[in-house]
Amino acid sequence: MERRKAIQTLGLGLGTLVALPAWAKSWNRESFEGVRFENEEILSALVECIIPESDTPGAKGTGAHLYLERMVNDCYGSDVKKMFLAGLEKLEKRSIQKHNKAFSELDLEKRTAVFAAMQNSSEMADKRFFSFVKNLSVRAYTHSEYYLTNFRNYVMAPGYYHGCVPV
Amino acid sequence: MTYINNKAVKKNTFDVIVIGSGISGGWAAKEFCDHGLKTLVLERGKDVKHVVDYPTAMMEPWEFEHLGQVPKKLKDESPIASKTYIYKEDSKHFIVKDKEHPYIQEKPFDWIRGYQVGGKSLLWARGTQRWSKYDFDGPARDGFDVHWPIGYEDLAPWYSHVEIFAGISGNKDGLETLPDGEFLKPHEQTCVEKHFSQKMKEHYHGKRPVIIGRCAHLTDPQPIHYEQGRGQCQHRNLCQRGCPYGGYFSSNASTLPWAQRTGNMTMRPNSVVHSIIYDEKTGKASGVNVVDAITKKERKFYAKVIFLNASTINTNLILLNSKSSRFPNGIGNDNEQMGKYIHFHSFITGMSAEYDGMLDSKNEGTRPNGSYIPRFRNVKEQETDFLRGYAAGFSATRSPVTNSEGLGMELKNNLNKTEYGNWHVGSHFMGETVPKETNYVKLDDKQIDAWGVPLLRVNVELDDNDRKMAKDYEEQMTEMLTVAGFKNIKANRKTTWNPGLDIHEMGGVVMGNDPKTSLLNKWNQLHHCKNVFVTDGACMTSNSTQNPSLTYMALTARAANYAVEELKKGNL
């Protein structure tokens, strides 16, 4: 029952997925409970393979996984939610098939390969999932305080404008 | 009972009632209060106090839950409002929900409304160019149905009056087509904008000037601005949130607090004006019927003079809904022309290009302004197969490129680089439309809104003249961008753009000398009810190619000062 609930919360309110694939039966995670951000583990594992943490923060450190879920919940229609859920399911399915482990339990290299395969998939839905997740993760990362103040010289009230300066 | 009623009437009586607190209503309030007149300002929306009611003004980009995007539920409630560029996560609270304020589109018209103290003066794009003699002369030269009753010389001193107080930045370019004003120091053009200006000067021998935009920003605040409590523009370019520095002109930052400090202004938010009360005995308007926006309770307020500054379409609605036995079709509407001749600016196209020169330079920071190409088509004589012409915005900027190639560390390294690509060149089209009787607004016969006001029916559309003009812009701009050496030049026609989305709707209660064809005289008074003045966009006889707000401000200040003189003489 917990597994079923996990998938349904991943469905972000869709709640119509009844036929669960066999691999999902071994899936049991406390972290999927809750009203919001219940999918933190799989989503943070996902965004981390898009922009990993190194000696500087990556997508997870700048909250991209929370942003991703919030956007799917608040800003898109049921078609996008469906596409998103199907994509996550596919990631899990492929991880189990190839490595017999949940997506979030794979090491970074294997996880990235599973996600990257979505881009090269022959199915449009997979490609769409790949760019959707990547674009939102990039958006979250490049709008973060860390990124804007370290790489984009952001200040709230600069007080100046120069039309022509050397690069 | 008589005693009590008289007392109630007295309490609700003012020298002047101003309907609407947006960019023109704020000016009416300021002028009347400065002259010591007790002024009631009626605003249909909520109160918005300068600084304290700008909830998003100091938020950092990463503090927005959806990083700027508006949640679907809100967009679904506002399918029309959400089309405008100004409807974002940081500004959506200043734009009304379509669902709460329905209207009937006989033809597609995207009506964008800002119901609050300050109105759309919080949201405007702040372009402020004077009209020239060629603009006022246009309708007569080209045989439009209604001609302007005033010329540039009538308005010039009032342009100066409002420019000094509002604070307009610009360069004295000495152009006949775009008279200079009382300018604060101009913004700087970027290297490539300067290059473009120079190339155009050489190629067209001065006939197609490209200048830095003139805009309502305090680039160099003067004592009069500090006195208003305003300070230097900080180049944040977040104007749509309301500016805590008062860096750009809005009613909230400038005219309304100024009027408030005189002690002569009573501001009444949540006051929906239903109609004007006409007194058959005196032959004048005596007051207004108001419905409380929240409680729906009806009230009456009285005054000697009434100024309509409710925004173009709502001003039309209020007047059309002000019916009496003398004026069965709406107050002042003897010729039945009220609501007709609605016109607007056409923004149906734009251009983009790149420049791979001057790559050793860039611009630094953001600028709440751009370069500007004043109208060069059909200015002194008819040159093309369409009437009138267009102005254009122009910008060339160079910001770091977001390189999102790759995945994992490769992507991260790409994103963390500060790299500059080519200069990005953009232009927007702003076309004059011809006022036509067939473009109209009127009241629905049966349906009413939540406040008992008949619903608007709107029937306004683009025509072949507008499309020919857009095509000419695309051709001329392609030539001009090519001359400047730009690459990858593209015309970007907007196929889903509807009138209204310009937020420059004008007309319906137009000025003119002839009471048979116009509704207002040269002082913005209804020909047939002289103590009712209309000085917002509804009064505009034609629209020319300048951004309209500066002209509304100047017309309002001029008419208000005239009304003060007439009151002194006992003529109103």
Side-chain angles (χ1 to χ4, degrees):
Chain A
M1 208 44 224
E2 274 190 311
R3 292 186 302 269
R4 168 91 170 270
K5 193 171 175 195
I7 291 292
Q8 285 188 347
T9 46
L10 263 180
L12 308 149
L14 268 185
T16 48
L17 280 168
V18 253
L20 291 185
W23 56 266
K25 293 203 169 108
S26 62
W27 188 14
N28 181 0
R29 294 200 170 280
E30 291 300 311
S31 58
F32 284 92
E33 303 294 328
V35 185
R36 281 181 83 88
F37 311 139
E38 63 269 34
N39 308 310
E40 191 167 340
E41 193 153 350
I42 186 172
L43 293 182
S44 54
L46 175 57
V47 302
E48 197 57 15
C49 70
I50 299 169
I51 306 165
E53 184 179 296
S54 50
D55 52 343
T56 64
K60 184 188 169 187
T62 54
H65 54 306
L66 305 179
Y67 178 66
L68 195 53
E69 179 160 7
R70 196 182 301 134
M71 290 298 283
V72 173
N73 266 318
D74 299 349
C75 292
Y76 295 96
S78 56
D79 55 331
V80 169
K81 288 180 184 174
K82 211 181 238 172
M83 175 273 291
F84 185 67
L85 173 68
L88 290 178
E89 271 189 32
K90 200 161 233 178
L91 290 183
E92 282 294 0
K93 200 173 170 181
R94 286 194 174 157
S95 301
I96 302 277
Q97 275 171 353
K98 281 195 100 170
H99 307 291
N100 205 24
K101 270 187 183 173
F103 179 74
S104 56
E105 284 172 352
L106 297 179
D107 64 38
L108 187 64
E109 199 180 326
K110 287 188 177 124
R111 218 189 305 147
T112 310
V114 169
F115 179 61
M118 299 292 269
Q119 183 182 24
N120 306 317
S121 164
S122 55
E123 289 175 40
M124 273 312 289
D126 293 350
K127 288 180 188 292
R128 200 175 155 212
F129 173 79
F130 178 89
S131 10
F132 180 80
V133 170
K134 182 181 164 184
N135 290 344
L136 286 182
S137 302
V138 166
R139 188 166 163 75
Y141 177 71
T142 56
H143 280 70
S144 67
E145 179 172 12
Y146 169 75
Y147 182 85
L148 287 172
T149 52
N150 283 284
F151 300 108
R152 285 297 179 263
N153 204 16
Y154 169 80
V155 269
M156 167 51 102
Y160 66 83
Y161 177 78
H162 305 299
C164 201
V165 295
V167 172
Chain B
M1 282 307 283
T2 315
Y3 169 74
I4 293 165
N5 279 343
N6 282 343
K7 203 176 154 192
V9 167
K10 202 176 169 194
K11 200 180 137 211
N12 288 338
T13 299
F14 297 81
D15 293 321
V16 184
I17 293 173
V18 176
I19 304 171
S21 63
I23 214 154
S24 67
W27 267 101
K30 177 200 166 284
E31 296 298 311
F32 285 120
C33 290
D34 273 347
H35 283 100
L37 297 182
K38 294 293 173 196
T39 306
L40 173 67
V41 181
L42 296 170
E43 166 53 52
R44 68 172 296 155
K46 61 184 182 287
D47 195 12
V48 171
K49 289 214 162 50
H50 183 47
V51 187
V52 294
D53 291 323
Y54 303 157
T56 57
M58 296 308 281
M59 283 172 70
E60 304 284 1
W62 54 86
E63 291 177 327
F64 288 91
E65 269 202 303
H66 308 94
L67 301 178
Q69 202 166 322
V70 178
K72 186 172 183 300
K73 186 173 169 285
L74 295 177
K75 275 189 166 178
D76 288 348
E77 286 173 1
S78 287
I80 298 161
S82 59
K83 286 190 198 174
T84 169
Y85 75 101
I86 209 81
Y87 184 85
K88 294 274 162 57
E89 194 171 22
D90 64 353
S91 59
K92 61 184 187 315
H93 49 286
F94 290 144
I95 300 169
V96 304
K97 290 181 182 160
D98 299 335
K99 214 177 163 184
E100 292 169 8
H101 299 277
Y103 64 98
I104 299 154
Q105 302 185 50
E106 292 183 359
K107 297 202 175 105
F109 183 90
D110 296 329
W111 190 17
I112 309 300
R113 294 154 288 173
Y115 292 166
Q116 61 249 328
V117 168
K120 288 175 290 187
S121 76
L122 286 166
L123 298 169
W124 65 314
R126 309 164 311 281
T128 38
Q129 312 90 14
R130 289 186 179 205
W131 280 38
S132 75
K133 61 181 177 187
Y134 301 108
D135 303 306
F136 287 101
D137 291 351
R141 189 193 83 183
D142 288 351
F144 293 4
D145 294 351
V146 192
H147 306 163
W148 280 95
I150 58 170
Y152 176 68
E153 63 287 355
D154 294 302
L155 213 50
W158 295 102
Y159 274 133
S160 293
H161 179 77
V162 298
E163 283 165 348
I164 290 166
F165 189 84
I168 305 298
S169 102
N171 184 50
K172 290 203 186 262
D173 300 294
L175 306 175
E176 216 182 350
T177 49
L178 208 70
D180 291 333
E182 314 286 339
F183 295 145
L184 304 175
K185 77 175 183 200
H187 284 118
E188 195 187 348
Q189 287 186 296
T190 65
C191 332
V192 173
E193 288 168 358
K194 285 176 193 163
H195 158 81
F196 187 64
S197 297
Q198 186 56 33
K199 286 285 174 192
M200 293 306 101
K201 194 175 173 182
E202 289 162 13
H203 189 86
Y204 296 101
H205 310 291
K207 288 189 179 135
R208 295 189 184 185
V210 182
I211 62 172
I212 184 65
R214 298 166 180 183
C215 66
H217 280 265
L218 299 183
T219 48
D220 181 20
Q222 301 298 305
I224 185 70
H225 306 121
Y226 291 125
E227 210 182 320
Q228 295 167 39
R230 299 170 58 202
Q232 177 98 33
C233 166
Q234 295 298 311
H235 287 91
R236 305 183 333 139
N237 216 7
L238 301 173
C239 314
Q240 70 282 359
R241 301 178 181 182
C243 183
Y245 307 92
Y248 72 90
F249 175 85
S250 65
S251 297
N252 311 65
S254 177
T255 44
L256 292 176
W258 182 276
Q260 191 74 56
R261 282 195 287 275
T262 64
N264 294 323
M265 181 175 82
T266 302
M267 167 64 71
R268 204 170 188 284
N270 297 314
S271 301
V272 178
V273 174
H274 175 276
S275 51
I276 313 280
I277 306 163
Y278 180 70
D279 185 335
E280 309 268 352
K281 278 186 229 134
T282 60
K284 291 178 189 171
S286 59
V288 297
N289 293 308
V290 166
V291 182
D292 188 288
I294 296 159
T295 65
K296 313 278 162 73
K297 203 181 148 204
E298 292 172 26
R299 294 191 64 164
K300 291 180 193 297
F301 293 98
Y302 304 94
K304 297 184 198 97
V305 170
I306 295 165
F307 260 59
L308 279 120
N309 302 94
S311 81
T312 296
I313 289 175
N314 279 319
T315 286
N316 274 275
L317 293 191
I318 292 167
L319 293 170
L320 287 166
N321 199 37
S322 302
K323 293 172 181 172
S324 56
S325 52
R326 164 68 185 84
F327 294 114
N329 302 313
I331 192 164
N333 189 17
D334 286 6
N335 60 17
E336 299 190 31
Q337 295 299 297
M338 191 179 281
K340 297 173 182 173
Y341 298 97
I342 297 292
H343 48 95
F344 55 94
H345 283 139
S346 159
F347 283 80
I348 56 173
T349 188
M351 303 290 298
S352 61
E354 287 178 49
Y355 186 48
D356 57 10
M358 304 182 108
L359 295 182
D360 53 351
S361 54
K362 64 175 176 96
N363 58 287
E364 181 75 42
T366 54
R367 180 186 59 184
N369 192 6
S371 286
Y372 183 84
I373 309 172
R375 178 160 74 102
F376 55 82
R377 275 303 203 202
N378 304 324
V379 175
K380 294 185 182 173
E381 56 186 11
Q382 185 63 34
E383 303 156 345
T384 64
D385 65 343
F386 57 86
L387 289 177
R388 313 311 299 154
Y390 47 84
F394 176 81
S395 68
T397 56
R398 197 164 181 233
S399 327
V401 178
T402 302
N403 177 354
S404 46
E405 297 282 314
L407 197 63
M409 277 313 290
E410 186 196 354
L411 171 61
K412 187 175 184 180
N413 291 333
N414 283 336
L415 291 171
N416 291 358
K417 272 185 236 164
T418 306
E419 285 178 329
Y420 292 86
N422 290 334
W423 285 84
H424 174 76
V425 174
S427 169
H428 68 266
F429 166 80
M430 192 166 132
E432 176 169 356
T433 65
V434 174
K436 293 182 297 188
E437 194 174 356
T438 47
N439 279 343
Y440 63 83
V441 295
K442 64 178 185 181
L443 304 177
D444 190 73
D445 293 339
K446 296 184 190 71
Q447 301 176 73
I448 53 169
D449 68 13
W451 302 274
V453 178
L455 289 194
L456 163 80
R457 297 188 76 89
V458 57
N459 189 313
V460 173
E461 64 182 341
L462 291 158
D463 65 14
D464 283 341
N465 197 66
D466 301 323
R467 283 180 278 268
K468 277 184 195 165
M469 192 190 287
K471 187 166 169 277
D472 185 70
Y473 160 88
E474 289 163 0
E475 288 165 2
Q476 297 307 311
M477 280 304 292
T478 300
E479 180 183 295
M480 290 157 74
L481 299 174
T482 307
V483 164
F486 300 153
K487 306 269 157 39
N488 199 13
I489 299 165
K490 283 181 194 150
N492 309 312
R493 189 69 72 99
K494 301 173 198 167
T495 49
T496 57
W497 189 93
N498 293 324
L501 213 47
D502 43 291
I503 329 185
H504 286 190
E505 62 272 12
M506 290 176 244
V509 195
V510 303
M511 295 173 77
N513 281 323
D514 185 354
K516 287 197 195 75
T517 55
S518 63
L519 279 306
L520 304 170
N521 68 14
K522 66 175 178 178
W523 297 106
N524 296 73
Q525 299 169 283
L526 281 176
H527 287 301
H528 301 298
C529 189
K530 294 273 195 304
N531 69 333
V532 175
F533 291 73
V534 176
T535 70
D536 62 12
C539 77
M540 298 291 281
T541 309
S542 66
N543 54 83
S544 198
T545 55
Q546 288 82 335
N547 294 65
S549 298
L550 183 73
T551 300
Y552 302 167
M553 295 193 240
L555 285 168
T556 303
R558 176 176 176 270
N561 281 272
Y562 174 78
V564 170
E565 292 307 312
E566 289 294 284
L567 276 168
K568 278 186 199 157
K569 290 180 198 158
N571 292 342
L572 289 174

